[in-house]
Amino acid sequence: MDIDAHLVQLPDEHAASLATRHLLEFGHQRTGCLATAKNLTFTNARVAGWRRAMGERADDSLIVHASRDSANGKEATRRLFRACPNITAIVCLNVIAAIGALRQIREMGQRVPEDVSVIAIHDLIFAPDLMVPLSVVAMPLNEMGGIAVKTVCTPPETAKTTISIDCKPRLILRASTTRPAGLR
């Protein structure tokens, strides 16, 4: 999407790939993708990262889009399990939607991580305090904020630019991911 503005871009593709690879290394073969709204720059990059990590296992039936709130995350997780009841892990491309995913999994009578592992992109101050502490890929939001402020405070140029953040996302492992039941 073209807009007449500067764009400060996080390493979204790398973050989604990192989260997905973590689950694949644990042995999860059917890993769903709870994506954010379609056709957003960061959604496209994160889905591309999930696809890249999944390789030949990438399947459109494993992707469900939802807006970035817990109610939509819950509903999207319900749709994902209806389409693919045998998934053992979910990469949530938004941490707030992941809260809804955790709720839906619990309401379906499944346990995190014993039945379904969940990992999200972005960290929340309360993520370690959830009933099941949420594994996340922390993004360099402080760096992004600094660059955004600097960009806004500089005299405007005629050409708008895309600025990519060079800091790498960090995998923070908590209790919401483990090996699938058959591999423990």
Side-chain angles (χ1 to χ4, degrees):
M1 163 172 40
D2 285 336
I3 56 172
D4 187 27
H6 293 288
L7 173 63
V8 180
Q9 201 164 23
L10 288 167
D12 292 303
E13 185 172 341
H14 181 75
S17 179
L18 182 63
T20 306
R21 282 194 324 266
H22 164 66
L23 295 171
L24 293 173
E25 287 167 3
F26 265 168
H28 293 279
Q29 297 299 309
R30 298 285 290 175
T31 299
C33 178
L34 184 60
T36 47
K38 289 182 179 182
N39 300 320
L40 297 174
T41 302
F42 70 90
T43 299
N44 294 342
R46 291 177 187 181
V47 170
W50 175 85
R51 283 184 189 285
R52 183 167 41 97
M54 289 290 287
E56 294 177 0
R57 292 174 285 235
D59 177 346
D60 285 347
S61 69
L62 294 170
I63 303 170
V64 176
H65 290 270
S67 61
R68 303 175 299 204
D69 62 68
S70 64
N72 279 294
K74 181 180 180 217
E75 171 59 25
T77 301
R78 189 180 63 71
R79 290 192 327 263
L80 181 60
F81 273 94
R82 192 176 329 133
C84 302
N86 61 341
I87 62 172
T88 60
I90 302 174
V91 175
C92 297
L93 302 185
N94 175 272
V95 69
I96 301 298
I99 304 298
L102 293 171
R103 185 177 301 128
Q104 179 61 36
I105 292 165
R106 188 172 55 247
E107 287 181 12
M108 292 182 331
Q110 296 194 31
R111 300 163 300 157
V112 173
E114 294 86 349
D115 301 316
V116 182
S117 285
V118 177
I119 190 166
I121 294 182
H122 288 305
D123 199 7
L124 292 171
I125 193 165
F126 59 83
D129 301 320
L130 295 170
M131 184 182 296
V132 177
L134 186 61
S135 294
V136 299
V137 175
M139 297 289 268
L141 297 178
N142 290 337
E143 291 83 354
M144 179 181 148
I147 290 171
V149 168
K150 182 179 176 184
T151 302
V152 168
C153 293
T154 1
E157 300 174 11
T158 54
K160 302 303 177 188
T161 58
T162 297
I163 303 162
S164 295
I165 306 288
D166 288 333
C167 296
K168 300 290 182 208
R170 277 182 313 116
L171 184 62
I172 300 174
L173 298 180
R174 296 185 180 117
S176 68
T177 59
T178 193
R179 294 188 176 285
L183 298 178
R184 278 185 230 138

